[in-house]
Amino acid sequence: MRGVIMHAPGDVRIEDREDPVIIEPTDAIIRVAASCICGSDLWPYRGAEPVDHSPMGHEYVGVVTEIGSDVKNVEIGDFVVGSFFASDNTCEICQAGYQSRCVHATGLDGTQAEYARIPLADGTLVATPGQPDADLIPSLLAASDVLGTGWFAAVAAEAGPGKTVAVVGDGAVGLLGILAARELGAERIIAMSRHADRQALAREFGATDIVEERGEAGVAKIKELTGGLGAHSVIEAVGTQESMMQAIRATRAGGHVGYVGVSHDVSLDGLELFFSGVHLHGGPAPVRRFLPQLVQLIWDRKIEPGVVFDLTLPLEQAADGYAAMDERRATKVLLTV
């Protein structure tokens, strides 16, 4: 099969790989219908994380072609959506709703490929009610990570009726955090963005205000918009020192920060955190917790998160997709397989 391999920072190639096979009786093999490039894939691409001939990709939808002997919840021929972490969905941590930290959690072998092996298939995959129309596939793919992550961020930030929500980060996760906050009933949603195209999508997803300032100026603007108090709920969807501090400082005392940006070189001052009085909750999103609900919302055409994909390329042009996202010429790249 063909698959994406990152040889080194900035060096993405599409190469022949061995077809995946069943290794454990809990595995499933899927024929990937669509995959995509994640903002987190840019960390190794930019040299911020080590990479050495690594298969890439952790977002996927596709059709089950083979199942292990212990798989009971999905069948050959099912169209499925899965989380970027495999989980058994039965351990105590999973049952508490944190499947990404399952005691048996494991990553994937690279889903920017024609086929993929999905470990712990019963706990990881969710079948759609039937074979989806082609126009639903981008939205179902979004549910595999960026929608589920944005949704978790909004839940962790306790977005809801009567709340003002601020969103730090205008990438795919931040934008879909806006959609999630809207669906959860937030009264006011402030998008922090300097890019006209992303601002337009933010408004389409439910943003009521746009703040272009960053850092301390951005915090001051949020305070100005909230009577000097700060937002009730803040979504942090970047993962840098500046974005984390911007999120914490833009939150009112007693408010909540939902942080889902993969942290790089972030450190918190204990005394400032102590006196901020804010709640911090986040980490790798337990996408599997939300997948059944999100799949149904998409299937019923109540939400359309797939519009976050603004560039679609065939798998063979994945390297162009990485460059486009790195250079901010694209928000989110869908790879057709």
mmCIF file of all heavy atoms in Angstrom, residues 52-98:
data_model
loop_
_atom_site.group_PDB
_atom_site.id
_atom_site.type_symbol
_atom_site.label_atom_id
_atom_site.label_comp_id
_atom_site.label_asym_id
_atom_site.label_seq_id
_atom_site.Cartn_x
_atom_site.Cartn_y
_atom_site.Cartn_z
ATOM 1 N N ASP A 52 11.928 10.342 12.688
ATOM 2 C CA ASP A 52 12.921 9.586 11.933
ATOM 3 C C ASP A 52 12.210 8.460 11.186
ATOM 4 O O ASP A 52 11.890 7.422 11.758
ATOM 5 C CB ASP A 52 13.989 9.022 12.871
ATOM 6 C CG ASP A 52 15.084 8.259 12.141
ATOM 7 O OD1 ASP A 52 15.137 8.334 10.898
ATOM 8 O OD2 ASP A 52 15.881 7.580 12.820
ATOM 9 N N HIS A 53 11.895 8.696 9.929
ATOM 10 C CA HIS A 53 11.228 7.696 9.095
ATOM 11 C C HIS A 53 9.929 7.211 9.757
ATOM 12 O O HIS A 53 9.677 6.007 9.850
ATOM 13 C CB HIS A 53 12.161 6.516 8.801
ATOM 14 C CG HIS A 53 13.362 6.889 7.990
ATOM 15 N ND1 HIS A 53 14.466 7.511 8.550
ATOM 16 C CD2 HIS A 53 13.627 6.740 6.669
ATOM 17 C CE1 HIS A 53 15.364 7.712 7.607
ATOM 18 N NE2 HIS A 53 14.885 7.262 6.458
ATOM 19 N N SER A 54 9.119 8.148 10.207
ATOM 20 C CA SER A 54 7.908 7.809 10.954
ATOM 21 C C SER A 54 6.673 7.781 10.059
ATOM 22 O O SER A 54 6.430 8.738 9.313
ATOM 23 C CB SER A 54 7.680 8.833 12.070
ATOM 24 O OG SER A 54 8.763 8.853 12.965
ATOM 25 N N PRO A 55 5.878 6.694 10.131
ATOM 26 C CA PRO A 55 4.571 6.708 9.464
ATOM 27 C C PRO A 55 3.700 7.799 10.100
ATOM 28 O O PRO A 55 3.682 7.952 11.319
ATOM 29 C CB PRO A 55 4.002 5.316 9.740
ATOM 30 C CG PRO A 55 5.187 4.489 10.123
ATOM 31 C CD PRO A 55 6.136 5.417 10.813
ATOM 32 N N MET A 56 2.976 8.530 9.280
ATOM 33 C CA MET A 56 2.240 9.686 9.770
ATOM 34 C C MET A 56 0.728 9.471 9.698
ATOM 35 O O MET A 56 0.229 8.691 8.901
ATOM 36 C CB MET A 56 2.629 10.926 8.961
ATOM 37 C CG MET A 56 4.100 11.306 9.070
ATOM 38 S SD MET A 56 4.629 11.647 10.773
ATOM 39 C CE MET A 56 3.638 13.104 11.144
ATOM 40 N N GLY A 57 0.048 10.206 10.551
ATOM 41 C CA GLY A 57 -1.409 10.239 10.507
ATOM 42 C C GLY A 57 -2.063 9.533 11.668
ATOM 43 O O GLY A 57 -1.631 8.446 12.074
ATOM 44 N N HIS A 58 -3.121 10.166 12.204
ATOM 45 C CA HIS A 58 -3.873 9.557 13.296
ATOM 46 C C HIS A 58 -5.362 9.881 13.205
ATOM 47 O O HIS A 58 -6.115 9.609 14.129
ATOM 48 C CB HIS A 58 -3.310 10.014 14.658
ATOM 49 C CG HIS A 58 -3.219 11.509 14.793
ATOM 50 N ND1 HIS A 58 -2.043 12.190 14.586
ATOM 51 C CD2 HIS A 58 -4.150 12.429 15.106
ATOM 52 C CE1 HIS A 58 -2.248 13.479 14.770
ATOM 53 N NE2 HIS A 58 -3.524 13.650 15.081
ATOM 54 N N GLU A 59 -5.770 10.474 12.108
ATOM 55 C CA GLU A 59 -7.190 10.790 11.883
ATOM 56 C C GLU A 59 -7.662 9.972 10.687
ATOM 57 O O GLU A 59 -6.961 9.891 9.680
ATOM 58 C CB GLU A 59 -7.345 12.287 11.604
ATOM 59 C CG GLU A 59 -6.865 13.150 12.768
ATOM 60 C CD GLU A 59 -6.503 14.562 12.336
ATOM 61 O OE1 GLU A 59 -5.401 14.741 11.772
ATOM 62 O OE2 GLU A 59 -7.317 15.462 12.540
ATOM 63 N N TYR A 60 -8.870 9.416 10.752
ATOM 64 C CA TYR A 60 -9.250 8.457 9.717
ATOM 65 C C TYR A 60 -10.730 8.129 9.765
ATOM 66 O O TYR A 60 -11.374 8.160 10.817
ATOM 67 C CB TYR A 60 -8.453 7.157 9.900
ATOM 68 C CG TYR A 60 -8.630 6.546 11.287
ATOM 69 C CD1 TYR A 60 -9.549 5.529 11.525
ATOM 70 C CD2 TYR A 60 -7.906 7.025 12.370
ATOM 71 C CE1 TYR A 60 -9.737 4.999 12.789
ATOM 72 C CE2 TYR A 60 -8.079 6.507 13.642
ATOM 73 C CZ TYR A 60 -8.998 5.501 13.851
ATOM 74 O OH TYR A 60 -9.189 4.993 15.118
ATOM 75 N N VAL A 61 -11.256 7.823 8.620
ATOM 76 C CA VAL A 61 -12.545 7.142 8.463
ATOM 77 C C VAL A 61 -12.351 6.111 7.369
ATOM 78 O O VAL A 61 -11.484 6.255 6.498
ATOM 79 C CB VAL A 61 -13.692 8.105 8.079
ATOM 80 C CG1 VAL A 61 -13.993 9.070 9.207
ATOM 81 C CG2 VAL A 61 -13.363 8.878 6.791
ATOM 82 N N GLY A 62 -13.133 5.056 7.409
ATOM 83 C CA GLY A 62 -12.975 4.050 6.372
ATOM 84 C C GLY A 62 -13.891 2.863 6.573
ATOM 85 O O GLY A 62 -14.776 2.873 7.444
ATOM 86 N N VAL A 63 -13.657 1.846 5.778
ATOM 87 C CA VAL A 63 -14.503 0.652 5.768
ATOM 88 C C VAL A 63 -13.712 -0.529 6.333
ATOM 89 O O VAL A 63 -12.560 -0.763 5.949
ATOM 90 C CB VAL A 63 -14.976 0.337 4.339
ATOM 91 C CG1 VAL A 63 -15.775 -0.961 4.312
ATOM 92 C CG2 VAL A 63 -15.817 1.490 3.792
ATOM 93 N N VAL A 64 -14.327 -1.252 7.246
ATOM 94 C CA VAL A 64 -13.692 -2.416 7.855
ATOM 95 C C VAL A 64 -13.559 -3.528 6.819
ATOM 96 O O VAL A 64 -14.541 -3.915 6.172
ATOM 97 C CB VAL A 64 -14.509 -2.911 9.065
ATOM 98 C CG1 VAL A 64 -13.885 -4.181 9.649
ATOM 99 C CG2 VAL A 64 -14.600 -1.830 10.128
ATOM 100 N N THR A 65 -12.333 -4.018 6.652
ATOM 101 C CA THR A 65 -12.089 -5.094 5.683
ATOM 102 C C THR A 65 -11.740 -6.420 6.343
ATOM 103 O O THR A 65 -11.831 -7.476 5.710
ATOM 104 C CB THR A 65 -10.939 -4.714 4.723
ATOM 105 O OG1 THR A 65 -9.747 -4.482 5.488
ATOM 106 C CG2 THR A 65 -11.292 -3.474 3.924
ATOM 107 N N GLU A 66 -11.335 -6.381 7.612
ATOM 108 C CA GLU A 66 -10.943 -7.607 8.312
ATOM 109 C C GLU A 66 -11.044 -7.348 9.803
ATOM 110 O O GLU A 66 -10.778 -6.232 10.269
ATOM 111 C CB GLU A 66 -9.504 -7.982 7.934
ATOM 112 C CG GLU A 66 -9.045 -9.344 8.416
ATOM 113 C CD GLU A 66 -7.645 -9.691 7.943
ATOM 114 O OE1 GLU A 66 -7.060 -8.900 7.164
ATOM 115 O OE2 GLU A 66 -7.131 -10.746 8.365
ATOM 116 N N ILE A 67 -11.426 -8.350 10.569
ATOM 117 C CA ILE A 67 -11.506 -8.210 12.022
ATOM 118 C C ILE A 67 -10.866 -9.416 12.694
ATOM 119 O O ILE A 67 -10.869 -10.533 12.156
ATOM 120 C CB ILE A 67 -12.962 -8.050 12.526
ATOM 121 C CG1 ILE A 67 -13.835 -9.231 12.101
ATOM 122 C CG2 ILE A 67 -13.557 -6.721 12.062
ATOM 123 C CD1 ILE A 67 -15.246 -9.188 12.675
ATOM 124 N N GLY A 68 -10.322 -9.155 13.896
ATOM 125 C CA GLY A 68 -9.775 -10.238 14.691
ATOM 126 C C GLY A 68 -10.877 -11.074 15.314
ATOM 127 O O GLY A 68 -12.050 -10.673 15.367
ATOM 128 N N SER A 69 -10.502 -12.212 15.839
ATOM 129 C CA SER A 69 -11.483 -13.176 16.344
ATOM 130 C C SER A 69 -12.251 -12.672 17.556
ATOM 131 O O SER A 69 -13.345 -13.177 17.856
ATOM 132 C CB SER A 69 -10.775 -14.497 16.682
ATOM 133 O OG SER A 69 -9.754 -14.279 17.658
ATOM 134 N N ASP A 70 -11.713 -11.683 18.284
ATOM 135 C CA ASP A 70 -12.402 -11.182 19.478
ATOM 136 C C ASP A 70 -13.227 -9.924 19.229
ATOM 137 O O ASP A 70 -13.833 -9.386 20.161
ATOM 138 C CB ASP A 70 -11.378 -10.886 20.587
ATOM 139 C CG ASP A 70 -10.764 -12.146 21.169
ATOM 140 O OD1 ASP A 70 -11.280 -13.242 20.867
ATOM 141 O OD2 ASP A 70 -9.774 -12.030 21.915
ATOM 142 N N VAL A 71 -13.264 -9.438 18.014
ATOM 143 C CA VAL A 71 -13.989 -8.195 17.712
ATOM 144 C C VAL A 71 -15.471 -8.494 17.572
ATOM 145 O O VAL A 71 -15.874 -9.359 16.775
ATOM 146 C CB VAL A 71 -13.431 -7.530 16.442
ATOM 147 C CG1 VAL A 71 -14.262 -6.303 16.069
ATOM 148 C CG2 VAL A 71 -11.972 -7.135 16.660
ATOM 149 N N LYS A 72 -16.292 -7.771 18.326
ATOM 150 C CA LYS A 72 -17.735 -8.031 18.349
ATOM 151 C C LYS A 72 -18.578 -6.821 17.933
ATOM 152 O O LYS A 72 -19.717 -6.994 17.490
ATOM 153 C CB LYS A 72 -18.182 -8.446 19.766
ATOM 154 C CG LYS A 72 -17.357 -9.559 20.401
ATOM 155 C CD LYS A 72 -17.411 -10.847 19.612
ATOM 156 C CE LYS A 72 -16.601 -11.942 20.295
ATOM 157 N NZ LYS A 72 -16.417 -13.129 19.441
ATOM 158 N N ASN A 73 -18.046 -5.615 18.097
ATOM 159 C CA ASN A 73 -18.870 -4.412 17.942
ATOM 160 C C ASN A 73 -18.883 -3.833 16.536
ATOM 161 O O ASN A 73 -19.751 -3.020 16.218
ATOM 162 C CB ASN A 73 -18.402 -3.330 18.914
ATOM 163 C CG ASN A 73 -18.609 -3.722 20.359
ATOM 164 O OD1 ASN A 73 -19.365 -4.648 20.665
ATOM 165 N ND2 ASN A 73 -17.923 -3.032 21.265
ATOM 166 N N VAL A 74 -17.927 -4.202 15.708
ATOM 167 C CA VAL A 74 -17.933 -3.765 14.317
ATOM 168 C C VAL A 74 -17.801 -4.986 13.422
ATOM 169 O O VAL A 74 -17.262 -6.028 13.835
ATOM 170 C CB VAL A 74 -16.798 -2.755 14.012
ATOM 171 C CG1 VAL A 74 -17.002 -1.478 14.800
ATOM 172 C CG2 VAL A 74 -15.420 -3.346 14.301
ATOM 173 N N GLU A 75 -18.315 -4.851 12.194
ATOM 174 C CA GLU A 75 -18.320 -5.969 11.261
ATOM 175 C C GLU A 75 -17.654 -5.565 9.961
ATOM 176 O O GLU A 75 -17.548 -4.366 9.635
ATOM 177 C CB GLU A 75 -19.764 -6.412 10.974
ATOM 178 C CG GLU A 75 -20.519 -6.876 12.207
ATOM 179 C CD GLU A 75 -21.966 -7.234 11.895
ATOM 180 O OE1 GLU A 75 -22.410 -6.966 10.747
ATOM 181 O OE2 GLU A 75 -22.640 -7.785 12.777
ATOM 182 N N ILE A 76 -17.205 -6.547 9.222
ATOM 183 C CA ILE A 76 -16.653 -6.286 7.897
ATOM 184 C C ILE A 76 -17.714 -5.576 7.057
ATOM 185 O O ILE A 76 -18.883 -5.978 7.029
ATOM 186 C CB ILE A 76 -16.199 -7.594 7.231
ATOM 187 C CG1 ILE A 76 -15.000 -8.174 7.990
ATOM 188 C CG2 ILE A 76 -15.836 -7.374 5.761
ATOM 189 C CD1 ILE A 76 -14.580 -9.556 7.527
ATOM 190 N N GLY A 77 -17.314 -4.496 6.409
ATOM 191 C CA GLY A 77 -18.228 -3.707 5.599
ATOM 192 C C GLY A 77 -18.745 -2.466 6.290
ATOM 193 O O GLY A 77 -19.289 -1.567 5.629
ATOM 194 N N ASP A 78 -18.595 -2.379 7.630
ATOM 195 C CA ASP A 78 -19.030 -1.178 8.352
ATOM 196 C C ASP A 78 -18.167 0.017 7.964
ATOM 197 O O ASP A 78 -16.945 -0.100 7.814
ATOM 198 C CB ASP A 78 -18.907 -1.376 9.864
ATOM 199 C CG ASP A 78 -20.020 -2.199 10.469
ATOM 200 O OD1 ASP A 78 -21.018 -2.451 9.767
ATOM 201 O OD2 ASP A 78 -19.894 -2.590 11.647
ATOM 202 N N PHE A 79 -18.811 1.164 7.824
ATOM 203 C CA PHE A 79 -18.068 2.421 7.708
ATOM 204 C C PHE A 79 -17.862 2.936 9.125
ATOM 205 O O PHE A 79 -18.816 3.049 9.895
ATOM 206 C CB PHE A 79 -18.847 3.444 6.876
ATOM 207 C CG PHE A 79 -18.008 4.635 6.478
ATOM 208 C CD1 PHE A 79 -17.359 4.651 5.265
ATOM 209 C CD2 PHE A 79 -17.850 5.726 7.327
ATOM 210 C CE1 PHE A 79 -16.570 5.730 4.884
ATOM 211 C CE2 PHE A 79 -17.063 6.811 6.964
ATOM 212 C CZ PHE A 79 -16.418 6.817 5.735
ATOM 213 N N VAL A 80 -16.614 3.243 9.467
ATOM 214 C CA VAL A 80 -16.297 3.543 10.862
ATOM 215 C C VAL A 80 -15.500 4.839 10.991
ATOM 216 O O VAL A 80 -14.795 5.274 10.077
ATOM 217 C CB VAL A 80 -15.493 2.395 11.518
ATOM 218 C CG1 VAL A 80 -16.351 1.148 11.664
ATOM 219 C CG2 VAL A 80 -14.223 2.089 10.725
ATOM 220 N N VAL A 81 -15.635 5.435 12.177
ATOM 221 C CA VAL A 81 -14.836 6.578 12.607
ATOM 222 C C VAL A 81 -14.137 6.141 13.885
ATOM 223 O O VAL A 81 -14.744 5.478 14.736
ATOM 224 C CB VAL A 81 -15.725 7.804 12.906
ATOM 225 C CG1 VAL A 81 -14.865 9.026 13.222
ATOM 226 C CG2 VAL A 81 -16.688 8.082 11.767
ATOM 227 N N GLY A 82 -12.880 6.512 14.022
ATOM 228 C CA GLY A 82 -12.164 6.127 15.234
ATOM 229 C C GLY A 82 -11.389 7.278 15.822
ATOM 230 O O GLY A 82 -11.115 8.282 15.158
ATOM 231 N N SER A 83 -11.037 7.132 17.081
ATOM 232 C CA SER A 83 -10.236 8.125 17.782
ATOM 233 C C SER A 83 -8.765 7.990 17.424
ATOM 234 O O SER A 83 -8.318 6.959 16.925
ATOM 235 C CB SER A 83 -10.412 7.957 19.293
ATOM 236 O OG SER A 83 -9.483 8.752 19.999
ATOM 237 N N PHE A 84 -7.992 9.036 17.717
ATOM 238 C CA PHE A 84 -6.553 9.012 17.447
ATOM 239 C C PHE A 84 -5.784 8.213 18.483
ATOM 240 O O PHE A 84 -4.593 7.956 18.313
ATOM 241 C CB PHE A 84 -5.990 10.433 17.347
ATOM 242 C CG PHE A 84 -6.220 11.298 18.557
ATOM 243 C CD1 PHE A 84 -5.351 11.264 19.632
ATOM 244 C CD2 PHE A 84 -7.295 12.170 18.604
ATOM 245 C CE1 PHE A 84 -5.537 12.068 20.736
ATOM 246 C CE2 PHE A 84 -7.497 12.986 19.704
ATOM 247 C CZ PHE A 84 -6.626 12.941 20.772
ATOM 248 N N PHE A 85 -6.420 7.814 19.588
ATOM 249 C CA PHE A 85 -5.861 6.839 20.515
ATOM 250 C C PHE A 85 -6.742 5.611 20.502
ATOM 251 O O PHE A 85 -7.967 5.719 20.534
ATOM 252 C CB PHE A 85 -5.826 7.384 21.950
ATOM 253 C CG PHE A 85 -4.552 8.071 22.336
ATOM 254 C CD1 PHE A 85 -4.553 9.420 22.652
ATOM 255 C CD2 PHE A 85 -3.351 7.386 22.398
ATOM 256 C CE1 PHE A 85 -3.387 10.069 23.013
ATOM 257 C CE2 PHE A 85 -2.180 8.016 22.762
ATOM 258 C CZ PHE A 85 -2.186 9.372 23.075
ATOM 259 N N ALA A 86 -6.137 4.436 20.452
ATOM 260 C CA ALA A 86 -6.899 3.207 20.624
ATOM 261 C C ALA A 86 -7.126 2.978 22.119
ATOM 262 O O ALA A 86 -6.229 3.198 22.934
ATOM 263 C CB ALA A 86 -6.151 2.024 20.027
ATOM 264 N N SER A 87 -8.338 2.565 22.474
ATOM 265 C CA SER A 87 -8.680 2.333 23.879
ATOM 266 C C SER A 87 -9.640 1.165 23.973
ATOM 267 O O SER A 87 -10.403 0.891 23.050
ATOM 268 C CB SER A 87 -9.332 3.586 24.486
ATOM 269 O OG SER A 87 -10.514 3.930 23.774
ATOM 270 N N ASP A 88 -9.617 0.486 25.131
ATOM 271 C CA ASP A 88 -10.530 -0.653 25.269
ATOM 272 C C ASP A 88 -11.952 -0.217 25.617
ATOM 273 O O ASP A 88 -12.898 -0.977 25.448
ATOM 274 C CB ASP A 88 -9.999 -1.666 26.288
ATOM 275 C CG ASP A 88 -9.829 -1.111 27.691
ATOM 276 O OD1 ASP A 88 -10.515 -0.141 28.065
ATOM 277 O OD2 ASP A 88 -8.977 -1.659 28.433
ATOM 278 N N ASN A 89 -12.112 0.994 26.121
ATOM 279 C CA ASN A 89 -13.411 1.570 26.491
ATOM 280 C C ASN A 89 -14.096 0.786 27.606
ATOM 281 O O ASN A 89 -15.304 0.917 27.816
ATOM 282 C CB ASN A 89 -14.350 1.673 25.284
ATOM 283 C CG ASN A 89 -15.374 2.788 25.450
ATOM 284 O OD1 ASN A 89 -15.110 3.802 26.090
ATOM 285 N ND2 ASN A 89 -16.556 2.610 24.864
ATOM 286 N N THR A 90 -13.336 -0.026 28.350
ATOM 287 C CA THR A 90 -13.919 -0.797 29.446
ATOM 288 C C THR A 90 -13.206 -0.596 30.775
ATOM 289 O O THR A 90 -13.777 -0.886 31.819
ATOM 290 C CB THR A 90 -13.908 -2.305 29.127
ATOM 291 O OG1 THR A 90 -12.560 -2.737 28.917
ATOM 292 C CG2 THR A 90 -14.736 -2.599 27.878
ATOM 293 N N CYS A 91 -11.962 -0.115 30.755
ATOM 294 C CA CYS A 91 -11.226 0.048 32.011
ATOM 295 C C CYS A 91 -11.843 1.180 32.837
ATOM 296 O O CYS A 91 -12.693 1.937 32.363
ATOM 297 C CB CYS A 91 -9.745 0.324 31.740
ATOM 298 S SG CYS A 91 -9.377 2.019 31.207
ATOM 299 N N GLU A 92 -11.421 1.315 34.080
ATOM 300 C CA GLU A 92 -11.995 2.337 34.956
ATOM 301 C C GLU A 92 -11.784 3.737 34.415
ATOM 302 O O GLU A 92 -12.662 4.608 34.545
ATOM 303 C CB GLU A 92 -11.390 2.236 36.359
ATOM 304 C CG GLU A 92 -11.887 1.062 37.175
ATOM 305 C CD GLU A 92 -11.460 1.149 38.625
ATOM 306 O OE1 GLU A 92 -11.480 2.269 39.187
ATOM 307 O OE2 GLU A 92 -11.086 0.117 39.189
ATOM 308 N N ILE A 93 -10.640 3.989 33.808
ATOM 309 C CA ILE A 93 -10.373 5.326 33.268
ATOM 310 C C ILE A 93 -11.281 5.600 32.079
ATOM 311 O O ILE A 93 -11.849 6.703 31.954
ATOM 312 C CB ILE A 93 -8.889 5.453 32.866
ATOM 313 C CG1 ILE A 93 -7.976 5.142 34.062
ATOM 314 C CG2 ILE A 93 -8.600 6.846 32.322
ATOM 315 C CD1 ILE A 93 -8.192 6.040 35.268
ATOM 316 N N CYS A 94 -11.447 4.620 31.199
ATOM 317 C CA CYS A 94 -12.373 4.778 30.073
ATOM 318 C C CYS A 94 -13.793 5.012 30.560
ATOM 319 O O CYS A 94 -14.504 5.898 30.052
ATOM 320 C CB CYS A 94 -12.348 3.537 29.184
ATOM 321 S SG CYS A 94 -10.888 3.366 28.136
ATOM 322 N N GLN A 95 -14.217 4.236 31.527
ATOM 323 C CA GLN A 95 -15.580 4.356 32.022
ATOM 324 C C GLN A 95 -15.821 5.707 32.682
ATOM 325 O O GLN A 95 -16.962 6.183 32.744
ATOM 326 C CB GLN A 95 -15.896 3.218 32.995
ATOM 327 C CG GLN A 95 -16.011 1.860 32.322
ATOM 328 C CD GLN A 95 -17.121 1.823 31.304
ATOM 329 O OE1 GLN A 95 -18.301 1.962 31.632
ATOM 330 N NE2 GLN A 95 -16.766 1.643 30.030
ATOM 331 N N ALA A 96 -14.754 6.345 33.150
ATOM 332 C CA ALA A 96 -14.865 7.696 33.696
ATOM 333 C C ALA A 96 -14.861 8.753 32.598
ATOM 334 O O ALA A 96 -15.034 9.943 32.885
ATOM 335 C CB ALA A 96 -13.718 7.960 34.669
ATOM 336 N N GLY A 97 -14.675 8.321 31.337
ATOM 337 C CA GLY A 97 -14.754 9.252 30.224
ATOM 338 C C GLY A 97 -13.428 9.770 29.721
ATOM 339 O O GLY A 97 -13.391 10.752 28.985
ATOM 340 N N TYR A 98 -12.327 9.088 30.068
ATOM 341 C CA TYR A 98 -11.003 9.559 29.651
ATOM 342 C C TYR A 98 -10.278 8.474 28.852
ATOM 343 O O TYR A 98 -9.202 8.018 29.196
ATOM 344 C CB TYR A 98 -10.207 10.026 30.877
ATOM 345 C CG TYR A 98 -10.804 11.301 31.415
ATOM 346 C CD1 TYR A 98 -11.853 11.267 32.313
ATOM 347 C CD2 TYR A 98 -10.379 12.534 30.931
ATOM 348 C CE1 TYR A 98 -12.461 12.430 32.742
ATOM 349 C CE2 TYR A 98 -10.981 13.709 31.367
ATOM 350 C CZ TYR A 98 -12.016 13.650 32.268
ATOM 351 O OH TYR A 98 -12.627 14.809 32.681
#
